[in-house]
């Protein structure tokens, strides 16, 4: 029997930790482009190849998704094209391994931007790596056109990518997507160096923005 996850709003967010039900909303709101592309591919194809699963799975682990929730999240998508038995046999071990529960029981760290840029070039049918580095100009432009960035901002990001300043392109994207509003200024700590730093900085920004717009609603989230 297959079940879709009951979606939750990104606003119902305490920053520490993440649940499968929040991921769709947080992918749109707070994930860097590299992780958004993996999420879009997973939701569209109901599968990811090995390095895509590693990149996205380790990112989600570092974002606070528990082992049990990561198994549930990937199983929900993968079992749209395979049986639960196939998922358990072919993919569950790898997820448990990611959390240090199988094999040598090593704790694996999420990939930083340097590794994604230098070591993670995707092949056909793969979506891992860094979009600013690995997408051609037309593909990157098409992807950016679907974001909240206006035409001038998209051009500025594309320009940085063309100059091979891939991490600065990501930083610019973050700045444009998180403008000063209601006195809230996004902090750039680690943005452009690590996808999880981008994600956390975005979540903090949106939490502070929610509080600035509606202090009473923000208090309820913290109760």
């Amino acid at each position: 029997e297959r079940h879709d996850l009951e979606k939750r709003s990104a606003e119902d967010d305490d920053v520490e930790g993440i649940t499968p039900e929040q991921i769709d909303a947080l992918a749109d709101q707070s994930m860097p482009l590299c992780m958004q592309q993996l999420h879009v591919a997973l939701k569209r194809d109901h599968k990811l190849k090995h390095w895509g699963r590693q990149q996205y799975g380790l990112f989600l682990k570092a974002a606070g998704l528990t082992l049990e929730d990561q198994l549930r999240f990937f199983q929900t998508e993968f079992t749209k094209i395979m049986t639960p038995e196939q998922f358990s046999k072919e993919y569950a071990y790898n997820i448990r391994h990611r959390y240090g529960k199988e094999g040598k029981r090593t704790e694996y760290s999420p990939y930083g931007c340097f590794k994604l840029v230098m070591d993670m070039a995707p092949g056909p049918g793969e979506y891992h790596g860094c979009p600013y580095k690995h997408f051609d100009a037309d593909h990157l432009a098409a992807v950016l056109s679907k974001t909240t960035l206006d035409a001038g901002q998209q051009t500025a990001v594309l320009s940085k990518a063309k100059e091979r300043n891939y991490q600065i392109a990501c930083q610019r994207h973050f700045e444009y997507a998180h403008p000063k509003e209601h006195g809230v200024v996004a902090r750039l700590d680690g943005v452009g160096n690590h996808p999880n730093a981008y994600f956390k900085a975005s979540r903090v920004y949106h939490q502070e923005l929610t509080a600035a717009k509606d202090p009473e609603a923000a208090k309820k989230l913290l109760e």
Side-chain angles (χ1 to χ4, degrees):
E1 188 177 355
R2 300 174 186 177
H3 299 280
D4 284 323
L5 296 170
E6 182 180 344
K7 296 182 180 180
R8 289 176 59 191
S9 168
E11 292 179 3
D12 186 14
D13 185 7
D14 63 3
V15 175
E16 298 300 326
I18 184 175
T19 66
E21 291 77 15
Q22 288 176 294
I23 292 175
D24 281 351
L26 288 173
D28 287 338
Q29 175 191 276
S30 290
M31 287 187 192
L33 201 60
C34 54
M35 300 305 168
Q36 283 184 350
Q37 293 307 293
L38 286 165
H39 186 74
V40 167
L42 175 63
K43 301 295 284 190
R44 183 190 65 230
D45 302 336
H46 313 301
K47 63 181 179 180
L48 288 170
K49 292 189 177 181
H50 174 75
W51 289 113
R53 296 195 306 275
Q54 281 293 94
Q55 179 175 322
Y56 197 32
L58 289 171
F59 167 82
L60 291 172
K61 175 191 171 189
L65 191 68
T66 65
L67 169 58
E68 293 74 18
D69 278 347
Q70 185 157 155
L71 283 164
R72 186 161 61 93
F73 172 67
F74 279 104
Q75 181 168 340
T76 297
E77 286 305 320
F78 277 54
T79 53
K80 290 175 180 175
I81 61 169
M82 67 181 65
T83 66
E85 292 74 23
Q86 282 177 296
F87 175 82
S88 294
K89 183 179 179 182
E90 297 177 29
Y91 300 102
Y93 176 92
N94 187 254
I95 293 172
R96 292 194 298 270
H97 193 270
R98 212 173 281 151
Y99 282 77
K101 302 300 182 184
E102 299 285 1
K104 296 180 181 177
R105 301 188 181 273
T106 302
E107 282 285 344
Y108 292 91
S109 298
Y111 301 150
C113 296
F114 184 81
K115 181 175 178 64
L116 298 184
V117 169
M118 301 302 293
D119 295 340
M120 297 288 286
E126 294 180 321
Y127 302 95
H128 57 265
C130 171
Y132 307 104
K133 164 74 182 288
H134 298 122
F135 287 4
D136 64 39
D138 289 342
H139 187 187
L140 183 57
V143 168
L144 290 174
S145 72
K146 297 175 184 176
T147 68
T148 59
L149 274 58
D150 65 32
Q153 293 168 342
Q154 292 171 38
T155 298
V157 172
L158 284 165
S159 176
K160 289 299 176 187
K162 187 176 181 181
E163 294 168 4
R164 300 185 181 179
N165 291 317
Y166 309 118
Q167 289 163 259
I168 295 174
C170 186
Q171 210 172 63
R172 290 287 181 273
H173 190 157
F174 181 92
E175 290 170 358
Y176 295 142
H178 301 81
K180 182 177 179 180
E181 189 176 344
H182 292 274
V184 175
V185 179
R187 295 184 285 279
L188 292 171
D189 300 344
V191 174
N193 290 323
H194 203 291
N196 286 94
Y198 184 116
F199 186 60
K200 184 165 185 176
S202 177
R203 294 178 81 189
V204 168
Y205 167 86
H206 283 287
Q207 187 184 59
E208 291 178 352
L209 191 57
T210 298
K213 289 178 177 178
D214 190 347
E216 290 304 314
K219 284 181 187 175
K220 290 179 182 177
L221 279 179
L222 298 173
E223 287 175 358

